[in-house]
Amino acid sequence: MEEDAATFAARLKHRAHTYGFLTCVLLVASSIIGDAGGPLFSWLWPLLIIGGLLTLFLAVYLRFDAALFRFIASHDDETEGCRAVDDILARMHLRTRPDRTRPLQARMTRTNSLLMKLHLAFAAFLALFAAITAYGLWTG
């Protein structure tokens, strides 16, 4: 079953907002839990911050992609919408204008790989948060 651009954009937007919000909440919670301190915490906490920032970056990138897919969905013809997105990205100097317009399904496949990276980054961030929480509760 193929997803249309509007449904895909809504799903991306939901995921980006969810992961971004959860990451922010866990970053704040880690600083509260981290008051216990200790040598292991001073080594893990910077890794947690880097993991959180990476997760937030990927969530913002995914939200930008969701806006582009919503823009594609606003056009009557999907190829015309893809061409318009290529034009916008070229004018913003984010990408060079391609010789041939990529179809919507190819764009969705590429964005799904970005979504998988976001899932992996959040999973690593969550594992670090669990390690810091366990250490904070164990030593505190």
Side-chain angles (χ1 to χ4, degrees), residues 46-131:
L47 287 176
L48 181 78
I49 295 299
I50 291 169
L53 290 175
L54 177 66
T55 304
L56 286 175
F57 170 76
L58 289 171
V60 169
Y61 190 0
L62 195 67
R63 181 61 180 97
F64 179 71
D65 274 5
L68 293 176
F69 279 105
R70 187 154 172 86
F71 183 71
I72 289 171
S74 71
H75 288 77
D76 292 332
D77 181 35
E78 121 185 345
T79 306
E80 179 184 315
C82 291
R83 197 172 297 121
V85 164
D86 287 340
D87 184 52
I88 287 173
L89 292 175
R91 283 192 276 147
M92 292 174 69
H93 300 289
L94 294 175
R95 288 200 171 204
T96 58
R97 188 162 301 166
D99 297 333
R100 207 180 69 195
T101 302
R102 284 187 309 144
L104 182 62
Q105 288 305 317
R107 292 170 192 267
M108 286 180 172
T109 302
R110 181 107 183 232
T111 302
N112 276 330
S113 71
L114 174 67
L115 186 58
M116 183 57 68
K117 290 175 187 173
L118 176 63
H119 289 308
L120 291 173
F122 186 74
F125 172 72
L126 201 56
L128 281 170
F129 177 77

Side-chain angles (χ1 to χ4, degrees), residues 21-60:
F21 176 75
L22 288 175
T23 300
C24 289
V25 168
L26 292 178
L27 281 172
V28 170
S30 72
S31 65
I32 293 169
I33 292 169
D35 285 339
L40 183 63
F41 180 79
S42 65
W43 182 76
L44 281 178
W45 201 69
L47 287 176
L48 181 78
I49 295 299
I50 291 169
L53 290 175
L54 177 66
T55 304
L56 286 175
F57 170 76
L58 289 171
V60 169

